Amino acid sequence: MEHGEDAGVYKLRDDLAIIQSVDFFTPIVDDPYIFGQIAVTNALSDVYAMGGKPLTAMNIVCFPVNKMDIAILREILRGGLNKMQEAGVLLIGGHSVEDDELKYGLSVTGVIHPDKVLLNRGGRAGDKLILTKPLGTGIISTALKGGIADEALVAKSIKVMTNLNKTAAELMMETPDVHACTDVTGFGLLGHAAEMIDGADVGMVIRVSSVPFFPEIREFVEMGVVPGGLHRNRAFRKSLIDIGSDCPDWMVDIFFDPQTAGGLLISVSENQAECLIKKMYARGIVEAAIIGEVVAESKGRIRLV
Ligand code: CO
């Protein structure tokens, strides 16, 4: 846990470890069924990010029984179950408590070969960095709450947030020379990228024009419609980031946008990167992109060029 790994791993035998994680949060969309789908996509993601296969899950529910229609909870659970079935994960129980604020999520248990665990650190100089989903879901959720996000944009954001990282993780695990992986969630792209090189012997270069994001969000950023977490993420990591003259300030904000159920950030050897990206495109992960590389110089720092 020292380096903020995505999930916990416990070795049972030389060829088998369990991998466990837990995540739950308050609604970020109005539709309860979709909220259930997003919460499950998000909760399973940490297991995928470490290269594991999630097997079972338990629901975690906080619900204001006296203030809210129980039918809403049923829809949330139905949406969650739908995503678990898509992922091949078995729901084996759960726990609910009465709470003033609605929350939903999962505890997840998966399996992995102990030698195949992918940590967030381990990227080697020369590796390419692949990001599998576009950025901006946090900003879009904030704009939605503010009543200024249009329906088509919200629909695109929901599609990204309900897209399991399962296929991306399977393709990653079939690829030789993948050295590290994490998923982009609350700390934003640069927060999670910083964890990958924190105290390591390497640095990173991110090519800003290659980073996928929803183009519509530039306007929101320039209006200051961003989640509070974005400023905290930026303040926390800004001393590690060297911002090149080709990277405007609004883009740096997008790179710190907290994501829900964001994509995988994969460090893979240069000679495998193109092949992995092509396999992703062929399987419908069309917004995946090579966004930069791991470098030997400027250790522990990220250069935006
Ligand atoms: Co994670």
Side-chain angles (χ1 to χ4, degrees), residues 4-7 23 42 45-47 49 182-186 192 195:
E5 297 303 338
D6 293 301
D23 206 335
N42 185 71
S45 180
D46 279 328
V47 175
T182 191
D183 59 336
V184 178
T185 51
H192 291 281
E195 282 185 335

Side-chain angles (χ1 to χ4, degrees), residues 107-128:
S107 75
V108 185
T109 302
V111 286
I112 188 165
H113 192 292
D115 299 339
K116 300 225 159 127
V117 175
L118 281 175
L119 304 179
N120 53 17
R121 285 158 43 107
R124 301 178 193 174
D127 278 3
K128 294 289 180 189

Side-chain angles (χ1 to χ4, degrees), residues 71-235:
I72 293 172
L73 179 57
R74 271 200 294 273
E75 278 300 286
I76 293 171
L77 298 180
R78 205 169 64 83
L81 187 61
N82 162 272
K83 267 298 145 187
M84 284 182 249
Q85 286 167 341
E86 184 188 327
V89 169
L90 196 64
L91 179 67
I92 54 169
H95 186 70
S96 57
V97 293
E98 190 179 341
D99 193 335
D100 283 342
E101 195 174 28
L102 167 58
K103 300 171 195 84
Y104 173 62
L106 296 180
S107 75
V108 185
T109 302
V111 286
I112 188 165
H113 192 292
D115 299 339
K116 300 225 159 127
V117 175
L118 281 175
L119 304 179
N120 53 17
R121 285 158 43 107
R124 301 178 193 174
D127 278 3
K128 294 289 180 189
L129 296 166
I130 293 178
L131 175 65
T132 65
K133 290 186 184 184
L135 303 173
T137 59
I139 292 164
I140 295 170
S141 298
T142 307
L144 175 68
K145 278 184 201 144
I148 57 167
D150 72 63
E151 246 174 70
L153 179 60
V154 173
K156 279 201 281 182
S157 177
I158 285 171
K159 199 166 168 232
V160 165
M161 291 188 289
T162 56
N163 189 3
L164 290 168
N165 281 329
K166 178 175 191 279
T167 306
E170 285 167 359
L171 295 173
M172 166 177 84
M173 294 310 283
E174 284 167 26
T175 303
D177 301 326
V178 172
H179 299 133
C181 179
T182 191
D183 59 336
V184 178
T185 51
F187 299 135
L189 171 67
L190 290 180
H192 291 281
E195 282 185 335
M196 292 178 90
I197 52 167
D198 196 15
D201 227 15
V202 289
M204 265 183 197
V205 169
I206 290 180
R207 303 190 182 280
V208 298
S209 61
S210 303
V211 179
F213 64 90
F214 294 100
E216 296 90 337
I217 62 178
R218 175 179 175 175
E219 193 190 338
F220 299 141
V221 175
E222 287 176 336
M223 288 162 65
V225 180
V226 299
L230 185 154
H231 296 300
R232 285 193 295 276
N233 289 342
R234 188 166 171 162

